[in-house]
Amino acid sequence: MTMQAEVHFSAPSMTFPQLLERIRYEGAYPTRERAEEVVCAVLAALGRQLTGEERVDLAARLPMEAATVFTAQIPDTEQLTGWGFVKELAAATGGTPATARWDTGAVLTNVARLAGPELLARILAQLLSGYGLLFGHAELRQAA
């Protein structure tokens, strides 16, 4: 028997149209439709990287439409570094690494706001190196 975590949605602090408009503005996308394409691509890619309670907790803080895209993904068995994430997103969307990095930053900085500092710290602790900057935060690692 497998156990699946159940996501309980509460009223997110931002609606999906508000999230799209913020990302459209901050990412300088020409239309809301383009912003939605970017949001869906980045959240789907993040959904393949994040697992466990962090995945469930983040989904609960996203607007329903964004959470649906995020949770529809089956987590990959191999985690990617932040740079690997950007390169994979570029390949999946047919863009360049530079545009994929821009898209990732536009979406994940807003996801970080919705997550809050405590959950974001847990998410970054789960992911491999390089994601801190993608979420708009410095990546601090202790020297070994």
Side-chain angles (χ1 to χ4, degrees):
M1 177 167 83
T2 61
M3 295 188 63
Q4 264 187 337
E6 188 175 326
V7 178
H8 296 281
F9 294 99
S10 58
S13 60
M14 185 181 298
T15 66
F16 191 60
Q18 289 170 329
L19 177 64
L20 290 179
E21 190 56 32
R22 176 174 268 171
I23 291 169
R24 187 199 63 76
Y25 177 77
E26 292 176 7
Y29 299 110
T31 64
R32 182 177 283 198
E33 291 76 22
R34 177 65 183 130
E36 186 171 359
E37 290 171 11
V38 169
V39 167
C40 290
V42 173
L43 288 178
L46 183 63
R48 291 187 294 275
Q49 293 300 305
L50 202 58
T51 62
E53 289 301 312
E54 291 75 19
R55 178 184 175 92
V56 173
D57 292 348
L58 179 58
R61 294 185 191 189
L62 295 172
M64 178 76 74
E65 300 88 338
T68 301
V69 170
F70 173 69
T71 59
Q73 305 306 307
I74 297 170
D76 286 341
T77 56
E78 183 179 327
Q79 277 195 310
L80 299 171
T81 63
W83 178 237
F85 181 88
V86 168
K87 289 192 306 186
E88 184 175 273
L89 184 65
T93 61
T96 66
T99 58
R101 171 59 181 94
W102 181 267
D103 295 344
T104 301
V107 175
L108 294 185
T109 56
N110 283 285
V111 168
R113 288 184 195 121
L114 291 170
E118 186 271 327
L119 177 55
L120 181 59
R122 289 176 27 222
I123 289 169
L124 291 175
Q126 183 186 122
L127 297 170
L128 297 179
S129 67
Y131 283 89
L133 293 175
L134 299 178
F135 281 94
H137 289 75
E139 186 154 337
L140 303 174
R141 302 256 179 189
Q142 259 189 335

